[in-house]
Amino acid sequence: MGIMDGKRILVSGTRNKWSISWHSALSLQREGATLAFSVYSEREKGEVQKLLDTSEISNSPIFLCDATKEDSVNELYCQVGEHFEGKLDGMIHAIAFAKREDLSGQFVDTSRDGFLIAMDNSAYTLVALTAGAKNLFKANGGGSVVTLTYLGGERVVPGYNMMGVAKAALESSMRYLANDLGPQNIRVNAVSAGPIKTLAASGISGFSSIFGYMAEHAPLRRNVDADEVGDVITFLLSPMARGITGEVIYVDAGYHIMGM
């Protein structure tokens, strides 16, 4: 038996085999969870279906959802509710986007349009997806949400720029959601992962140097991998974390504790 036996989890934002949300899904499946996936486009749906076809979770449904559109979010939860018979135990929010030009150069040059796009996609989507899941959680007697963040939301990381500001808003949103929904036994937390070679990370200017620096200076003298992050996400979604909400849990080989 696993710690997630019988739990119904919606996983958003998976794009390919490097996605942290995919490794979270594998961890959840290993611990007994039943999964459904939400992706942005038909292209991503095809990529995720290929992953499912070569895994032990091949029977999981994949739903399309543009989380920046209210109607799309409503339709998603109609489908999820039908699939899971009106109840949901957990949701992973792994959605972030900023224009490539806003992830290089100087933050002061960020356009208004780029600012709004990054905030809508990377921060407000957590609010939208959590609000959409609320009734399914309530029907279940509670639930758990986990979102993904990064140290660049607290400190300046060269090249992270607009995404750092969006992650700061994401973390603050997580705390306010935790406070709002706590009386309904709905927990909301964030995992701050160290640099991992994902498709999203490839768009960050200077990522390779960040990756190398972390491995040299983190207390564990290494980087982390997506499986390590996925296991912590599984823990936060599980009953074992039932007393934790509004927290940012770091999975970064200890780098965040360092002053220099």
Side-chain angles (χ1 to χ4, degrees), residues 86-103:
K87 296 181 179 180
L88 187 66
D89 295 278
M91 187 268 289
I92 297 174
H93 172 268
I95 299 172
F97 176 78
K99 295 167 71 173
R100 183 174 290 271
E101 56 265 35
D102 293 327
L103 297 176

Side-chain angles (χ1 to χ4, degrees), residues 14-257:
T14 300
R15 300 179 69 183
N16 52 43
K17 65 181 181 180
W18 295 286
S19 296
I20 292 174
S21 59
W22 172 246
H23 290 263
S24 302
L26 293 175
S27 177
L28 287 161
Q29 185 276 329
R30 186 185 67 239
E31 293 297 328
T34 302
L35 306 176
F37 291 82
S38 165
V39 298
Y40 173 71
S41 68
E42 287 287 354
R43 178 180 178 181
E44 291 171 344
K45 183 176 182 178
E47 291 298 317
V48 173
Q49 187 61 61
K50 291 176 185 177
L51 295 174
L52 292 176
D53 289 343
T54 58
S55 73
E56 296 182 10
I57 46 180
S58 57
N59 60 342
S60 299
I62 307 170
F63 303 116
L64 291 175
C65 177
D66 179 349
T68 66
K69 304 280 193 304
E70 185 176 354
D71 289 347
S72 187
V73 172
N74 290 339
E75 176 61 23
L76 168 66
Y77 282 110
C78 284
Q79 295 172 313
V80 170
E82 182 176 352
H83 178 72
F84 284 137
E85 299 180 340
K87 296 181 179 180
L88 187 66
D89 295 278
M91 187 268 289
I92 297 174
H93 172 268
I95 299 172
F97 176 78
K99 295 167 71 173
R100 183 174 290 271
E101 56 265 35
D102 293 327
L103 297 176
S104 61
Q106 293 188 309
F107 173 71
V108 71
D109 296 323
T110 303
S111 67
R112 184 182 299 273
D113 179 60
F115 189 99
L116 295 174
I117 287 172
M119 293 292 279
D120 191 15
N121 281 269
S122 307
Y124 189 75
T125 52
L126 172 65
V127 181
L129 288 179
T130 301
K134 184 174 66 173
N135 288 335
L136 296 179
F137 286 149
K138 288 171 64 177
N140 191 51
S144 178
V145 175
V146 179
T147 188
L148 289 169
T149 188
Y150 176 57
L151 191 62
E154 299 177 44
R155 306 179 192 176
V156 173
V157 174
Y160 206 53
N161 291 8
M162 185 57 229
M163 189 55 71
V165 175
K167 290 298 187 184
L170 175 75
E171 291 178 21
S172 185
S173 299
M174 175 272 294
R175 287 186 283 270
Y176 276 91
L177 289 168
N179 180 63
D180 283 351
L181 301 177
Q184 299 165 45
N185 195 34
I186 299 171
R187 299 182 295 107
V188 190
N189 292 288
V191 169
S192 182
I196 293 174
K197 293 180 179 179
T198 63
L199 184 61
S202 67
I204 299 171
S205 176
F207 175 79
S208 295
S209 62
I210 294 171
F211 193 77
Y213 185 89
M214 293 277 288
E216 292 178 4
H217 294 87
L220 291 180
R221 298 298 189 270
R222 65 175 178 85
N223 284 296
V224 296
D225 61 38
D227 288 327
E228 292 173 308
V229 181
D231 285 345
V232 173
I233 290 173
T234 294
F235 162 71
L236 286 172
L237 289 170
S238 80
M240 295 183 73
R242 59 192 177 276
I244 302 174
T245 195
E247 292 290 338
V248 176
I249 307 296
Y250 297 88
V251 188
D252 64 355
Y255 180 79
H256 70 283
I257 71 171

